[in-house]
Amino acid sequence: RSVYDDQPNAHQRFMEKLDACIRNHDREIEKMCNFHHQGFVDAITELLKVRADAEKLKVQVTDTNRRLQDAGKEVIAQTEEIIRCRVQQRNITTVVEKLQLCLPVLEMYSKLKEQMNVKRYYSALKTMEQLENLYLPRVSQYRFCQIMIENLPKLREEIKEISMSDLKDFLESIRKHSDRIGETAMKQAQQQKTFSTTLQKQNNVNYGRNMHLGRSRILESKNEITLKRTFEDDDEHEEEVLTAQDLVDFSPVYRCLHIYSVLGDGEVFENYYRKQRRKQARLVLQPQSSMHETVEGYRRYFSQIVGFFVVEDHILHVTQGLVTRTYTDELWNMALSKIVAVLRTHSSYCSDPDLVLELKNLIVVFADTLQGYGFPVNRLFDLLFEIRDQYNETLLKKWSGLFRDIFEVDNYSPIPVANEDEYKIVISKFPFQDPELDKQSFPKKLPMSQSVPQIYIQVKEFIYASLKFSESLHRSSTEIDDMLRKSTNLLLTRTLSSCLQNLIKKPHIGLTELVQIIINTTHLEQACKYLEDFISNITNISQVTVHTARLYGLSTFKDARHAAEGEIYTKLNQKIDEFIQIADYDWTMSESDGRASGYLMDLINFLRSTFQVFTHLPGKVAQTACMSACQHLSTSLMQMLLDSELKQISMGAIQQFNLDVIQCELFASSEPVPGFQGDTLQLAFIDLRQGFLLIRWKEVYTCVTYIHVYLCMKNTQRLKCHCCVAVLMQCLMKDSSKKNNIFAQFRKNDRDKQKLIETVVKQLRSLVNGMSQHT
């Protein structure tokens, strides 16, 4: 570097110095070679000497090698064989070691396949988990392990699909078996309730043993027999008692739940299960259109619903999280609303009370069964009160037909009893008491007809039928008593009253039948207190209780009796009109026959025989009927005289008419019905009698003057009528006498008088008709 740093020509200088250095080194090398040359020569000389020995040694070595090779060929062969065997041994050892690592994997995979074949999917998933986490990582370098690793997700999906398929089969199975499950559960609930009821009765008998020893022993023995039979029946059916788990295999849902839980899809499975069960709930809650026709339709409907919720309750208690209480309560509330709506609709179609009663019993068993599983059923019992009203309506319709049939077959005549046995049979059916009749000897007749005990029995049967619905409603005896009394009141005030009213209005019911109906209603009215006692006895509620309702039968039978009385008055008047219509007076006869008209005598005989039938009626009714008939007869006779077609009356016709009026007065005075005071009944014919008494005037003007003066003195409607009738008859008699004189029309005075008479007759007729309407 210093060379290059010098002045120009430094390179040349460097080369010169380098050459000088080289020459120095060459001289040193030459010196060293000269120094060692003799040793080199000596070494070459020795080497040449050794060369001959080396050739000789080479031949010896070659010969020795040849001999050694020949001798070692067998050793080499054996050595190679040993080496090969040791390689094989090492390979075998390696294979064994690797197989020892792979065999557990293969065994687990084989086990997995076997578990898949026998459908042990949950165990298969556990095996997969062990393979993935424990065994496969040890042998992951092998190709078959990679194949296994690729197949495991596919196997998981296959297990999910298979388990879901099993779940679908399970859902279909419980849908088919839900009715059987529900039927079994309802049967068990009913047996349990029967057993509890029998046991309670047994305890009640034991409690009252000291109070009523003799009677209690009988009841106790009967109840012990019943209880023993119940125990025997329970023992007989104990082996046959089946649960939901006995009827349905729940293992698919357990497996599917575990599988999805292991796979981390538990929530997906829960949502799917609940969604499918909600769909099934809607299908179960949808009734058949003809369900209301038979009780089997209702039973199948209830059994399916009970079976559905029994399964849900079982799932709730044996699984965790799949079904929760909140979910079941929500599902039950939805189902309950639908059930109430369905029952309210379909029960309204039921017209058979027996079917409604069976429906009620099914609803009670249905409610008790689900209540035993913890579901609230208060709305079902509230619905039963609505159905109770409908049941009462169907009962009322049924009993309306029964009452009509009883009235149709009744002969409306007193019940004949030939001996004591027949009498006891009658009074055992109807509470009849009559000390006077008891004193009479047999044969004798009871005042009422056959319909009375039959009606009384049917009313009691109605009470029993109504009581059947009130049973098992979890209501107090007071409430049941109140329900029975209200339903019985409806039977009496609406159904029986309507049947009686319709019976009274029937055209074929005559006076005799109407009289018997009045007698019957009187005895039925008296029997109402026994019906109240009957209700109190079966409900054990005293009538003195403040809230106890009363039967309204008294007003019912009174109304029916009043209607019958009015119908008697009407039919009597109609019969009188029929006799009046056949009256045929000859108003121009010269003199009377000397005896009353035949139609009137027939009418009086009819009235007399009719009033004899009224002996069993209350006195006031018979008197009113008799007075009404006489007044109507008097009015009808009066109307004959006021007929606008009547132009003239002869004295003979007046005398004949007077004889008829006398017969009417004689009939009235004969007291056809006892109880009238004095001549009260005869006053019914006073208008006609006083009219005839006033026909003593001979001149029209005298009568007109008499009327004017009489009306000024006596301002009463009845006296006006008497006078007007008398003047009318007098005028008609005058008119009759003048018409016989053919020359009277040529005399002006007679013509004026005739016109005046005609004017007076018209005015009198209008006046009398107006007074009659007013009175």
Side-chain angles (χ1 to χ4, degrees):
R1 181 176 180 184
S2 65
V3 174
Y4 287 98
D5 292 340
D6 290 338
Q7 297 297 324
N9 300 319
H11 180 68
Q12 184 176 359
R13 293 175 187 174
F14 174 74
M15 292 301 296
E16 291 176 354
K17 288 181 179 182
L18 183 61
D19 289 338
C21 186
I22 291 172
R23 286 191 296 272
N24 290 332
H25 282 293
D26 287 340
R27 285 192 294 269
E28 291 178 359
I29 292 171
E30 185 177 359
K31 287 179 180 181
M32 187 175 291
C33 288
N34 291 328
F35 178 77
H36 292 290
H37 180 264
Q38 187 60 42
F40 176 72
V41 171
D42 294 337
I44 292 299
T45 303
E46 291 178 1
L47 182 60
L48 290 174
K49 291 179 181 179
V50 175
R51 181 176 181 180
D53 295 333
E55 288 292 338
K56 190 183 292 185
L57 179 62
K58 180 179 178 182
V59 172
Q60 292 177 356
V61 171
T62 302
D63 183 57
T64 301
N65 183 52
R66 179 179 55 77
R67 290 196 305 271
L68 182 62
Q69 290 295 333
D70 293 339
K73 286 182 180 179
E74 184 178 354
V75 176
I76 291 172
Q78 293 178 357
T79 302
E80 289 177 353
E81 184 68 23
I82 291 172
I83 291 171
R84 187 170 60 253
C85 289
R86 286 183 177 179
V87 171
Q88 291 177 353
Q89 184 180 6
R90 185 174 64 251
N91 291 339
I92 290 172
T93 302
T94 303
V95 169
V96 169
E97 291 176 356
K98 298 302 181 182
L99 285 177
Q100 286 178 348
L101 291 176
C102 294
L103 279 177
V105 177
L106 296 174
E107 289 175 356
M108 292 296 290
Y109 195 80
S110 176
K111 180 180 178 182
L112 173 62
K113 287 294 185 180
E114 182 180 357
Q115 290 171 343
M116 292 288 292
N117 292 332
V118 297
K119 299 182 179 181
R120 295 173 58 192
Y121 303 115
Y122 180 73
S123 300
L125 289 176
K126 290 296 184 181
T127 304
M128 288 184 194
E129 186 177 354
Q130 292 178 359
L131 278 172
E132 288 180 332
N133 298 330
L134 184 61
Y135 293 97
L136 289 178
R138 299 175 183 176
V139 292
S140 58
Q141 68 272 20
Y142 300 110
R143 188 174 60 183
F144 76 90
C145 292
Q146 298 299 324
I147 295 174
M148 289 183 183
I149 293 173
E150 293 175 0
N151 286 336
L152 289 182
K154 297 179 182 178
L155 291 176
R156 282 194 176 93
E157 291 299 323
E158 181 181 355
I159 290 174
K160 287 179 66 175
E161 293 176 359
I162 294 174
S163 61
M164 184 58 67
S165 177
D166 291 343
L167 177 65
K168 292 179 180 178
D169 294 339
F170 165 77
L171 293 175
E172 182 66 20
S173 174
I174 60 176
R175 189 183 70 83
K176 293 180 179 179
H177 292 87
S178 59
D179 55 345
R180 188 180 175 191
I181 296 172
E183 182 180 357
T184 303
M186 292 174 68
K187 186 181 296 183
Q188 292 173 4
Q190 192 170 12
Q191 290 175 355
Q192 179 64 29
K193 184 176 181 181
T194 303
F195 172 76
S196 300
T197 303
T198 307
L199 189 61
Q200 183 178 4
K201 291 181 179 179
Q202 176 69 14
N203 293 334
N204 292 336
V205 170
N206 293 333
Y207 179 77
R209 181 180 301 171
N210 295 329
M211 298 178 61
H212 303 282
L213 184 59
R215 182 180 178 183
S216 296
R217 286 178 179 174
I218 297 174
L219 293 175
E220 183 180 355
S221 61
K222 291 182 179 179
N223 282 278
E224 285 179 353
I225 294 172
T226 305
L227 186 60
K228 184 176 180 181
R229 290 177 179 174
T230 303
F231 279 124
E232 291 175 353
D233 293 339
D234 291 341
D235 293 338
E236 290 176 1
H237 296 286
E238 186 174 2
E239 298 179 356
E240 302 176 1
V241 172
L242 299 176
T243 62
Q245 196 168 3
D246 298 327
L247 297 173
V248 177
D249 181 16
F250 286 89
S251 58
V253 71
Y254 303 152
R255 288 196 302 267
C256 198
L257 175 61
H258 292 160
I259 289 169
Y260 273 77
S261 299
V262 170
L263 296 176
D265 293 333
E267 185 176 356
V268 175
F269 172 73
E270 292 172 7
N271 294 333
Y272 176 81
Y273 176 83
R274 295 181 183 182
K275 181 180 178 181
Q276 295 301 317
R277 289 297 281 167
R278 282 193 180 94
K279 290 182 179 179
Q280 288 188 349
R282 294 188 183 95
L283 292 176
V284 167
L285 295 172
Q286 188 66 30
Q288 296 182 354
S289 58
S290 60
M291 183 180 71
H292 61 277
E293 295 178 357
T294 60
V295 70
E296 290 301 324
Y298 287 106
R299 181 177 287 110
R300 190 179 305 109
Y301 179 70
F302 288 136
S303 298
Q304 290 177 351
I305 296 175
V306 171
F308 178 88
F309 284 99
V310 167
V311 169
E312 290 303 290
D313 182 78
H314 180 78
I315 296 293
L316 172 66
H317 288 89
V318 299
T319 61
Q320 294 181 354
L322 179 59
V323 175
T324 62
R325 176 58 66 182
T326 303
Y327 162 76
T328 55
D329 290 343
E330 178 185 354
L331 197 61
W332 169 246
N333 290 331
M334 180 272 293
L336 187 59
S337 300
K338 179 67 175 178
I339 292 168
V340 170
V342 167
L343 292 179
R344 185 179 288 118
T345 300
H346 282 262
S347 63
S348 62
Y349 300 145
C350 296
S351 58
D352 183 9
D354 296 333
L355 180 58
V356 178
L357 183 61
E358 290 181 351
L359 172 60
K360 168 258 173 183
N361 293 330
L362 282 177
I363 293 176
V364 170
V365 175
F366 172 73
D368 290 341
T369 303
L370 289 176
Q371 191 175 26
Y373 285 92
F375 296 100
V377 294
N378 293 332
R379 291 177 61 186
L380 289 175
F381 285 101
D382 295 337
L383 174 66
L384 284 175
F385 281 89
E386 299 180 19
I387 299 179
R388 181 199 63 186
D389 297 335
Q390 180 186 349
Y391 175 71
N392 287 335
E393 290 297 326
T394 57
L395 284 182
L396 293 175
K397 291 180 181 179
K398 179 179 179 180
W399 258 256
S400 177
L402 294 175
F403 289 153
R404 286 195 300 268
D405 294 341
I406 291 174
F407 291 142
E408 286 293 333
V409 300
D410 193 13
N411 57 7
Y412 298 99
S413 58
I415 301 175
V417 288
N419 49 49
E420 184 72 21
D421 294 336
E422 293 182 3
Y423 180 74
K424 289 181 179 180
I425 292 174
V426 174
I427 62 175
S428 65
K429 298 178 181 178
F430 181 76
F432 174 75
Q433 295 179 357
D434 188 351
E436 296 297 329
L437 187 63
D438 292 340
K439 297 177 181 178
Q440 298 178 11
S441 59
F442 293 99
K444 54 188 176 183
K445 292 184 178 181
L446 303 181
M448 64 278 190
S449 65
Q450 290 288 350
S451 62
V452 172
Q454 294 176 2
I455 292 293
Y456 184 79
I457 292 173
Q458 288 303 324
V459 172
K460 292 173 66 175
E461 291 296 328
F462 176 87
I463 295 173
Y464 276 126
S466 182
L467 177 64
K468 289 180 181 179
F469 195 93
S470 302
E471 295 175 346
S472 304
L473 292 185
H474 307 295
R475 298 293 173 177
S476 63
S477 298
T478 304
E479 292 175 310
I480 294 176
D481 182 87
D482 184 64
M483 287 188 290
L484 289 180
R485 292 179 185 273
K486 287 181 179 178
S487 58
T488 306
N489 279 330
L490 284 176
L491 178 71
L492 296 177
T493 59
R494 196 172 74 182
T495 304
L496 183 55
S497 176
S498 176
C499 291
L500 286 171
Q501 296 291 341
N502 293 334
L503 174 66
I504 292 169
K505 298 297 181 181
K506 287 185 177 181
H508 70 275
I509 297 297
L511 292 171
T512 305
E513 288 80 3
L514 289 172
V515 170
Q516 189 61 53
I517 289 173
I518 292 176
I519 297 172
N520 291 346
T521 54
T522 302
H523 288 283
L524 288 173
E525 178 183 347
Q526 295 172 357
C528 284
K529 61 180 182 180
Y530 297 101
L531 290 176
E532 291 188 348
D533 295 338
F534 175 72
I535 295 176
S536 298
N537 289 333
I538 62 177
T539 59
N540 294 323
I541 298 297
S542 176
Q543 297 186 32
V544 298
T545 305
V546 177
H547 301 288
T548 302
R550 293 291 181 262
L551 296 183
Y552 302 145
L554 299 177
S555 60
T556 298
F557 297 121
K558 285 181 180 178
D559 294 341
R561 190 158 55 250
H562 292 161
E565 292 170 4
E567 195 67 19
I568 286 177
Y569 306 150
T570 301
K571 287 188 178 295
L572 270 176
N573 294 341
Q574 291 175 353
K575 200 66 177 179
I576 291 173
D577 292 338
E578 292 177 4
F579 280 100
I580 294 297
Q581 288 176 1
I582 64 175
D584 187 16
Y585 283 103
D586 183 6
W587 299 107
T588 61
M589 63 172 56
S590 57
E591 59 182 17
S592 66
D593 295 338
R595 62 179 181 274
S597 301
Y599 85 92
L600 187 67
M601 296 305 298
D602 293 339
L603 174 57
I604 290 175
N605 292 331
F606 165 75
L607 292 176
R608 197 181 303 279
S609 60
T610 300
F611 292 146
Q612 288 178 355
V613 181
F614 289 3
T615 54
H616 295 290
L617 287 176
K620 185 178 180 181
V621 177
Q623 294 171 10
T624 304
C626 185
M627 177 60 74
S628 174
C630 291
Q631 288 177 347
H632 186 72
L633 177 58
S634 176
T635 302
S636 300
L637 293 175
M638 180 74 72
Q639 292 299 325
M640 287 186 182
L641 299 177
L642 301 178
D643 191 358
S644 59
E645 297 180 359
L646 182 59
K647 302 300 182 181
Q648 61 181 356
I649 302 176
S650 65
M651 182 56 69
I654 291 297
Q655 292 175 354
Q656 183 64 41
F657 203 84
N658 185 41
L659 291 175
D660 293 342
V661 173
I662 291 173
Q663 288 298 324
C664 292
E665 291 173 337
L666 291 174
F667 170 72
S669 62
S670 66
E671 197 175 4
V673 174
F676 286 106
Q677 297 179 355
D679 55 354
T680 303
L681 190 59
Q682 297 178 14
L683 294 177
F685 302 98
I686 192 64
D687 294 345
L688 290 173
R689 176 51 52 205
Q690 291 187 0
F692 281 111
L693 291 176
L694 291 173
I695 308 175
R696 295 179 179 176
W697 285 195
K698 299 299 183 181
E699 295 294 330
V700 173
Y701 294 108
T702 306
C703 291
V704 174
T705 303
Y706 173 80
I707 291 174
H708 179 71
V709 176
Y710 196 77
L711 291 181
C712 292
M713 296 175 62
K714 302 290 186 179
N715 188 22
T716 62
Q717 293 292 342
R718 182 175 294 277
L719 294 177
K720 290 179 184 178
C721 183
H722 299 165
C723 299
C724 292
V725 171
V727 173
L728 177 61
M729 294 173 65
Q730 185 75 2
C731 292
L732 291 174
M733 292 171 62
K734 289 288 184 181
D735 185 33
S736 176
S737 62
K738 293 299 181 182
K739 282 186 178 181
N740 293 329
N741 188 352
I742 60 174
F743 299 103
Q745 57 183 339
F746 298 108
R747 294 194 293 271
K748 184 177 183 302
N749 292 335
D750 292 338
R751 288 198 306 272
D752 294 339
K753 185 180 292 186
Q754 184 65 29
K755 290 180 180 179
L756 179 60
I757 290 174
E758 292 176 356
T759 302
V760 171
V761 168
K762 291 180 180 180
Q763 293 177 353
L764 288 175
R765 278 203 174 101
S766 62
L767 181 61
V768 172
N769 289 330
M771 291 178 180
S772 299
Q773 293 176 0
H774 181 73
T775 55

